[in-house]
Amino acid sequence: MRAYARTSLEGALALDATLTEARFVLGLCQRDLGDLAAARRTLERAVADAPASPGPREALAEVYAGLGEHQRTIDQLEALATLDPGRPERLVAVGQALATSGRDSQAIVVLGRAAGRLPDYPLAYAALGRVWLAPPEGPGVPG
């Protein structure tokens, strides 16, 4: 079904390249079919076409994460947090991405800021605790 949708969306975009929503859905189909390189190109274009739209940025962040492009993932998540400051999970996602990329000190700062700004939001504290309590990794650390 996704492959059929992909073909249909590609046809629609061939007829009208300004269909931003179709480009976004095509990127989702490509991502779900495992074609991360194509999804990346398509979603980057969708973000360029609609920079304030959160859906394409969220999907692009997922694709970057799947490709192991940590800084680009963080960049998209930071843009989402800036565009939508009323959603605390956006800031928590930035902190978690920093931790995933091995930047624990920065993750602790971001998550601490999130917990301070949002004292009634338990996910910020949970994410902060996971970073604080994670065992150290790297050369010379017994694992």
Side-chain angles (χ1 to χ4, degrees), residues 51-109:
S53 181
R57 281 191 187 278
E58 290 170 342
L60 184 56
E62 289 177 28
V63 168
Y64 283 151
L67 292 169
E69 296 184 28
H70 299 295
Q71 186 56 52
R72 289 184 180 202
T73 302
I74 292 164
D75 292 343
Q76 291 305 314
L77 295 173
E78 286 177 335
L80 284 164
T82 300
L83 288 168
D84 198 0
R87 293 188 54 196
E89 63 271 17
R90 299 280 192 212
L91 198 52
V92 171
V94 172
Q96 290 173 321
L98 286 163
T100 299
S101 71
R103 295 158 57 185
D104 291 350
S105 297
Q106 288 176 302
I108 289 168
V109 169

Side-chain angles (χ1 to χ4, degrees), residues 118-127:
L118 310 158
D120 296 330
Y121 189 68
L123 291 180
Y125 291 101

Side-chain angles (χ1 to χ4, degrees), residues 33-49:
L33 289 168
D35 190 353
L36 296 183
R40 175 187 177 175
R41 288 188 302 275
T42 301
L43 292 168
E44 284 175 343
R45 171 93 186 264
V47 167
D49 290 347

